[in-house]
């Protein structure tokens, strides 16, 4: 009899613990109301007023963030891909040269990391990234280095392509 009672108490204790854990994980997602009468999202607002010590360093107007640019691959436009470490840039850069459906897909040869991405009907590149041009501007070039380096590299590549026999 004592054995049955202890098993029953054990089952009740485990059930109560399970219900408490379940309530902690599932309860916050449900709108069960709160004791203070405010909504759950209002209670989560840690900083209801702006922090007076926070200084906004960069201001991006909404119209700038939502603007649309037309990219003309057949024209003179070039996409310069700024690779930033530890942000998934390697995966995205590889995706640009291997998986994007284009009129003239990038030519990626097995065993090479670099792919040639030419414009339709011309031997000029439309993409400036480490997967299409290599480390032309140095290892992990930042915005300033790319701004100073890209025009010269593109001019050298175009002049070399113009001199090469077809």
């Amino acid at each position: 009899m004592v054995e049955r009672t202890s098993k029953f108490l054990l089952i009740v204790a485990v059930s109560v613990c399970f219900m408490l854990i379940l309530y902690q994980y599932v309860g916050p997602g449900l709108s069960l109301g709160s004791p203070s009468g405010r909504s759950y999202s209002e209670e989560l607002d840690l900083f209801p007023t702006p922090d007076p010590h926070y200084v906004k360093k960069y201001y991006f107007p909404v119209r700038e963030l939502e603007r649309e640019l037309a990219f003309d691959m057949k024209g003179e436009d070039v996409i310069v891909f700024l690779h930033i470490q530890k942000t998934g840039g390697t995966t995205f850069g590889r995706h640009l040269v291997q998986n994007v459906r284009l009129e003239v897909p990038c030519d990626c040869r097995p065993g090479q990391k670099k792919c040639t991405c030419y414009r339709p009907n011309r031997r000029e590149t439309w993409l400036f990234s480490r997967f299409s041009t290599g480390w032309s501007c140095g290892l992990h070039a930042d915005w300033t280095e790319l701004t100073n380096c890209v025009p010269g590299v593109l001019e050298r590549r175009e002049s070399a392509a113009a001199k090469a026999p077809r």
Side-chain angles (χ1 to χ4, degrees), residues 135-149:
W135 297 106
S136 304
C137 294
L139 187 67
H140 296 295
D142 64 0
W143 174 258
T144 308
E145 291 169 326
L146 284 175
T147 304
N148 295 332
C149 170

Side-chain angles (χ1 to χ4, degrees), residues 31-49:
S31 59
L32 301 174
S34 67
S36 65
R38 294 186 300 180
S39 70
Y40 183 72
S41 61
E42 289 175 4
E43 288 181 3
L44 284 182
D45 190 11
L46 298 177
F47 301 105
T49 58

Side-chain angles (χ1 to χ4, degrees), residues 69-137:
L69 298 172
F71 176 72
D72 185 16
M73 184 180 287
K74 294 179 182 178
E76 299 295 320
D77 294 346
V78 175
I79 292 178
V80 178
F81 179 68
L82 173 63
H83 178 263
I84 301 173
Q85 297 179 51
K86 306 293 183 194
T87 60
T90 301
T91 304
F92 183 72
R94 195 177 305 119
H95 169 72
L96 276 176
V97 295
Q98 292 178 352
N99 303 329
V100 177
R101 292 187 189 132
L102 302 168
E103 187 177 326
V104 178
C106 295
D107 182 27
C108 300
R109 298 176 190 251
Q112 289 186 343
K113 290 186 179 180
K114 237 171 47 167
C115 302
T116 53
C117 299
Y118 290 131
R119 298 179 190 278
N121 303 323
R122 289 192 294 184
R123 294 185 56 87
E124 294 176 2
T125 187
W126 60 270
L127 175 67
F128 191 93
S129 75
R130 73 178 189 147
F131 288 105
S132 63
T133 59
W135 297 106
S136 304
C137 294

